[in-house]
Amino acid sequence: MATKRVTFRLYPSKAQANKMHYWRRLHKDLYNSCVEHRRTSYKRFGNSVDYFNQQNCLPDFKEEWIEYKELGSHALQDTVKRVDFAFKRFLKLKSGYPKFKSSRHYKGWTYPCNSGWKAGTNGKNGYLKISHLGNIKMRGQARDWGKTKTCTIIFQQDKWYASITVDCVPTRPQTDVGAIGLDFGVYHAIAESNGNIIENPRFVKLAQDKINKIAKTSRRKKPPQKGVKASRRWRKANKAVAKIQSKVARQRQDWQHKVSTQIVSCNSLVATEKLNIKGMTRKAKKRRSVVLGVSPMNNCVKKGSQRKRQKTGLNRSLLDVGIGNLKDLIKYKVIEAGGFYIEIPTQKVKPSQTCPNCGHQKQKTLAERVHHCERCGYQCDRDIAAAMVILNYARGMERASTDADESTSTWCGSFKQVTQMTRRKRTSQS
């Protein structure tokens, strides 16, 4: 059994849409009230309020504010739970102090169980029945369908969506017996150990001209300020930019699913490198540089990195490929098909600096796009060589070999055991 999330597009009537917007504002007000309750209790009285204290206040709260009765007790409890998650992240120093939400920043609400809603579908199209709201038409198709668990109603880009989680049995067919190493990058999106290269589609770069053109016009309009609302044309221009960005996100997601399915359908062993995406896309550090020719007492200090613009462009390119999400898609699809997924430590192996033929290591600059070994004379594309090193290490080989494209059968257990079994076979044959 596996838990999957399926997103359906909702098509409510005008009366239903107005009521859903009203419910969204009510959940937003409840969220802000819980944040204010915690803030006031701690600052004025020194008392820390937890989730159970606020949950126990909901019955009295609904008696005072009767419009919350039709929203459902479980949906209200989940909104209170969101506040609890926000404060827990703040206490773990993973985010800032929880702030009040506005209507346009509060996307929707969640039903944490099967109470209050029902999905009338077998995984393809159908309708969604919500208490005190009626049946809402929905469109979408799930690869696997099973027992429904939760439902989240989302309003995004003037469209309503229902994100439903289900417990199901994956039905992905068994993959071909093969092994492949993948090297992710920006110049090439993916380099495979068998010599294939998947180019970077660069969705953001293609749409950047349209975004810059609209952003240039929005700078001439009145933006929101403290106590002053933004102009209607400013909101219209920003909505147009958000529409383009949403389309880019859908294009990237569609491309990632196609690429991951193509890789998994031909290989039962997929080896990649372990990457710290959050650290790689971090902002450039501020650097203090001293201007020469000035006395030490009156140094002119310039803040900001000298290569801040280059780092910004690199971060945009990395996020455009979506390496983290692409690796997650490949991982769960390989596991569903009964294969193996391995991530090797890059600091120990150094795939970009190692020769896949003899194992000799030599440091390369980013400008060197062709791997040429000084020891054995082996020559190939730099990214393909790194993918071959990743595959060789994942297969348990101490040194790189020339049969990196050979497919191997998948055995259960650790890959050290696999290596020992292959060595025993070689010794017995000899």
Side-chain angles (χ1 to χ4, degrees):
M1 296 291 290
T3 302
K4 288 190 175 184
R5 181 177 295 275
V6 186
T7 303
F8 295 90
R9 169 80 184 276
L10 297 179
Y11 294 89
S13 62
K14 188 174 182 180
Q16 289 175 335
N18 293 335
K19 197 169 187 179
M20 292 169 72
H21 281 297
Y22 177 62
W23 285 6
R24 186 167 60 95
R25 289 194 295 269
L26 290 179
H27 280 281
K28 179 262 301 181
D29 294 337
L30 177 61
Y31 181 94
N32 294 338
S33 300
C34 293
V35 172
E36 179 62 23
H37 182 207
R38 293 201 178 202
R39 179 184 298 181
T40 305
S41 298
Y42 185 78
K43 286 187 176 181
R44 293 189 178 182
F45 308 104
N47 298 328
S48 297
V49 180
D50 59 0
Y51 165 71
F52 296 101
N53 294 333
Q54 292 185 331
Q55 178 187 356
N56 295 334
C57 296
L58 286 177
D60 297 333
F61 178 80
K62 289 191 291 184
E63 292 296 331
E64 186 68 24
W65 303 90
I66 58 176
E67 58 267 23
Y68 280 89
K69 289 186 177 181
E70 62 179 3
L71 269 64
S73 59
H74 294 281
L76 297 178
Q77 291 173 9
D78 187 83
T79 301
V80 177
K81 194 68 176 178
R82 289 187 184 186
V83 180
D84 186 60
F85 284 150
F87 274 91
K88 284 183 178 179
R89 285 182 58 83
F90 166 70
L91 295 176
K92 292 180 181 179
L93 302 179
K94 292 185 177 181
S95 63
Y97 192 85
K99 300 178 181 180
F100 295 136
K101 299 281 188 180
S102 61
S103 296
R104 64 191 184 95
H105 288 139
Y106 201 85
K107 301 299 181 183
W109 65 94
T110 301
Y111 296 97
C113 59
N114 287 316
S115 177
W117 67 282
K118 180 181 178 181
T121 179
N122 57 356
K124 184 176 181 181
N125 303 331
Y127 66 92
L128 181 68
K129 183 179 180 180
I130 301 178
S131 299
H132 303 285
L133 193 62
N135 296 339
I136 304 175
K137 294 181 181 180
M138 66 180 184
R139 288 188 61 187
Q141 186 172 356
R143 181 183 182 88
D144 303 307
W145 191 254
K147 184 179 179 181
T148 59
K149 294 184 63 177
T150 66
C151 178
T152 302
I153 308 298
I154 304 170
F155 180 73
Q156 188 175 10
Q157 295 296 321
D158 295 332
K159 298 180 181 66
W160 287 98
Y161 298 93
S163 182
I164 302 174
T165 58
V166 294
D167 283 340
C168 59
V169 179
T171 58
R172 191 174 296 276
Q174 294 291 329
T175 59
D176 294 339
V177 179
I180 194 171
L182 304 178
D183 179 74
F184 299 94
V186 176
Y187 186 75
H188 301 304
I190 303 176
E192 301 178 357
S193 58
N194 55 13
N196 296 333
I197 290 179
I198 300 176
E199 297 294 339
N200 187 356
R202 305 184 188 277
F203 296 112
V204 172
K205 186 176 181 180
L206 296 176
Q208 195 63 38
D209 293 338
K210 295 181 180 179
I211 295 175
N212 294 339
K213 186 177 180 180
I214 299 174
K216 184 177 180 180
T217 60
S218 66
R219 287 194 292 267
R220 303 193 188 102
K221 298 169 177 60
K222 187 177 181 180
Q225 297 177 358
K226 188 175 181 179
V228 180
K229 292 184 178 181
S231 64
R232 181 179 58 85
R233 293 186 178 182
W234 185 90
R235 293 196 299 268
K236 184 178 179 181
N238 280 265
K239 187 178 292 186
V241 173
K243 186 176 180 180
I244 297 174
Q245 293 174 344
S246 178
K247 181 180 178 181
V248 169
R250 293 195 303 270
Q251 289 175 334
R252 184 187 300 111
Q253 186 179 19
D254 178 70
W255 173 78
Q256 289 175 347
H257 274 287
K258 291 179 180 178
V259 169
S260 59
T261 303
Q262 179 184 356
I263 293 173
V264 173
S265 62
C266 302
N267 302 280
S268 58
L269 169 62
V270 179
T272 63
E273 52 187 342
K274 190 174 183 179
L275 300 175
N276 182 13
I277 305 299
K278 187 175 181 180
M280 293 169 60
T281 57
R282 192 171 294 161
K283 291 183 179 180
K285 295 182 180 180
K286 292 184 178 180
R287 183 184 300 174
R288 298 171 63 89
S289 58
V290 180
V291 179
L292 299 177
V294 185
S295 61
M297 298 298 296
N298 298 321
N299 285 337
C300 179
V301 179
K302 294 182 179 180
K303 293 184 178 181
S305 174
Q306 295 179 353
R307 297 184 178 179
K308 186 175 181 180
R309 185 174 297 178
Q310 291 87 335
K311 186 65 172 66
T312 302
L314 177 61
N315 293 349
R316 187 185 296 113
S317 300
L318 288 170
L319 296 174
D320 190 15
V321 178
I323 298 176
N325 188 45
L326 185 56
K327 291 175 65 177
D328 293 339
L329 294 177
I330 295 174
K331 180 179 180 180
Y332 91 81
K333 290 181 181 181
V334 168
I335 294 174
E336 282 185 358
F340 290 93
Y341 176 85
I342 305 174
E343 289 186 355
I344 69 169
T346 54
Q347 295 182 353
K348 179 180 179 180
V349 182
K350 298 180 181 179
S352 300
Q353 318 296 337
T354 306
C355 177
N357 191 44
C358 65
H360 175 67
Q361 290 187 356
K362 179 187 177 182
Q363 190 174 3
K364 304 186 189 73
T365 62
L366 293 176
E368 300 180 36
R369 303 309 309 172
V370 178
H371 168 76
H372 183 74
C373 183
E374 297 178 350
R375 179 179 296 180
C376 64
Y378 184 77
Q379 184 173 351
C380 68
D381 186 87
R382 172 192 177 131
D383 298 333
I384 296 177
M388 294 170 65
V389 173
I390 292 171
L391 177 61
N392 294 336
Y393 184 85
R395 293 169 66 179
M397 297 183 179
E398 295 181 357
R399 295 182 64 182
S401 61
T402 56
D403 60 347
D405 293 336
E406 275 188 18
S407 61
T408 59
S409 58
T410 56
W411 295 314
C412 297
S414 64
F415 282 88
K416 291 183 179 179
Q417 296 174 353
V418 174
T419 308
Q420 293 175 1
M421 293 176 66
T422 54
R423 289 177 179 173
R424 290 173 185 173
K425 288 183 179 180
R426 290 176 182 174
T427 54
S428 60
Q429 291 175 1
S430 60

